[in-house]
Amino acid sequence: MATSQNPYTLRSILRNIGFYCGFLILNLFIFIISPFLYLILRTAKKHSQGQAVRRIIWIYGRMWVILTSLFVEIKIDTKKAADYPKPSIILVNHQSFFDAFCMGALPIYDIIFLVREWPFRIPFYGHYMRQAKYINSENMSCEEFVCEAKEKLNRGISIIIFPEGTRSKNGQLGRFYSGAFKLATESKHPIVPVCIDGSGKFLPKGKFLITANPISIRTLPTIDPNEFKKFGQRAHIELRKNVKKMFLKDLEQSFLHYDPILQVQTCSPRETQ
């Protein structure tokens, strides 16, 4: 549903003050309690170092979702933990800086992200990402990424990947890159698509003020990459096209609420190669 484009009403200003004050308090709270959480998870739960940090990050994300739900409507349909094959490759469309925080809505916590170099330079966040063993994709070839990601999957850790590589400016799906799909076809681990709808209007790329636009986080049907073996060397391409069509179908109605109206395309010319 379309929302007002004027970010300077009294209500929107108060909403932003409340949200960002809550966000700062949440960060301070996690910073204070994370050492104690870490000790509890390492001793009582027998987590490894990486598992403990990944669970703390998941708790942080879950608390962010709760905080945000105080200011905007958040609809969550991420199913149960049993619906996520362990490990799996979780593919998420990318609309907003806060999309990674939305992953706190998932019912599983032992997950890492594929990210670029710049998030590792963010104070507080960078330290936790390194401890959680996130994959830094900067200056990494596709072959190097697949090798490192397969090692993580073989250890039972699921991987979250934004196949567009960057946030959309207008809500329309961008080009899907091949890395995640080559990983799936080579490792034979299933893909779990997770669709985020509305975060791009909640906090558009290049903006700072949030809007009251509702957010939806939902899990789509799991895809077995082995079903695409019949395509031979084009298996990852056909898999990529199939996954993108799933996202397009799920997001089709929301595209109509962007201005100007977007023309939905199944893939760009480069994605057919």
Side-chain angles (χ1 to χ4, degrees), residues 18-32 67:
F19 173 77
Y20 281 110
C21 283
F23 185 55
L24 289 173
I25 292 171
L26 172 59
N27 279 275
L28 179 61
F29 177 71
I30 288 293
F31 179 77
I32 293 172
L67 166 68

Side-chain angles (χ1 to χ4, degrees), residues 27 97 101 117-130:
N27 279 275
F97 171 78
F101 296 71
E117 170 67 30
W118 69 266
F120 287 94
R121 297 196 292 266
I122 301 176
F124 180 69
Y125 291 104
H127 171 74
Y128 282 86
M129 287 190 291
R130 284 187 287 271

Side-chain angles (χ1 to χ4, degrees), residues 195-258:
C195 183
I196 301 180
D197 189 4
S199 65
K201 297 198 76 172
F202 169 72
L203 183 68
K205 183 176 182 179
K207 303 294 183 181
F208 180 76
L209 296 180
I210 65 169
T211 72
N213 194 80
I215 299 172
S216 173
I217 309 165
R218 50 190 178 267
T219 302
L220 307 182
T222 298
I223 301 172
D224 182 358
N226 292 314
E227 296 178 1
F228 294 81
K229 289 192 299 183
K230 59 186 178 182
F231 294 105
Q233 293 184 346
R234 289 185 57 85
H236 72 281
I237 297 174
E238 297 301 323
L239 175 60
R240 181 180 65 194
K241 290 163 62 177
N242 183 275
V243 172
K244 187 169 185 180
K245 286 179 181 178
M246 289 181 64
F247 277 103
L248 284 168
K249 182 177 180 180
D250 196 72
L251 289 166
E252 188 172 9
Q253 289 302 311
S254 69
F255 289 160
L256 303 178
H257 299 302
Y258 283 86

